[in-house]
Amino acid sequence: MEERLREATERFQMASSLAGVGIFEWEVATGRAIWDAQMFAMYGVDENEEITFDAFKRCVHADDRAMVEQRIVEMISAQKPTSQFSFRIIN
């Protein structure tokens, strides 16, 4: 079973890398964020850097920051854990 999980994880990581998709988790209450290697690469952030909301915002294009913050506020207030929207990143 462990071998299957490892193989599935490797396939998933390969697929997300090829698709240029990063995976993250954000604990709103604590502000803690967990990024996979692809997220660090896409955002041009060192993997040893602690990811905070402010660190994330610095990577969002200035013209998109207000919209991104607004969408996040909407997600939190609606207690909707996922949402799809596009924005530009700088690195």
Side-chain angles (χ1 to χ4, degrees):
M1 185 67 169
E2 234 177 85
E3 180 67 17
R4 282 186 180 173
L5 179 59
R6 186 190 59 73
E7 289 173 352
T9 300
E10 286 176 3
R11 285 192 300 275
F12 184 75
Q13 289 173 336
M14 185 185 314
S16 66
S17 177
L18 291 170
V21 175
I23 301 166
F24 73 96
E25 182 178 334
W26 180 35
E27 296 173 356
V28 176
T30 64
R32 181 175 177 242
I34 302 167
W35 282 9
D36 72 348
Q38 182 69 13
M39 286 289 289
F40 283 102
M42 287 182 348
Y43 281 78
V45 175
D46 184 286
E47 290 193 34
N48 295 315
E49 184 175 334
E50 180 182 359
I51 302 302
T52 63
F53 187 64
D54 287 335
F56 163 75
K57 284 192 311 185
R58 284 193 302 270
C59 298
V60 175
H61 191 283
D63 293 343
D64 297 342
R65 283 187 193 129
M67 178 274 298
V68 168
E69 288 186 65
Q70 180 61 35
R71 294 297 298 268
I72 291 171
V73 167
E74 291 169 0
M75 286 187 314
I76 293 169
S77 64
Q79 296 183 353
K80 184 178 176 186
T82 60
S83 181
Q84 293 183 6
F85 58 97
S86 298
F87 57 93
R88 295 168 287 179
I89 57 175
I90 54 176
N91 59 20

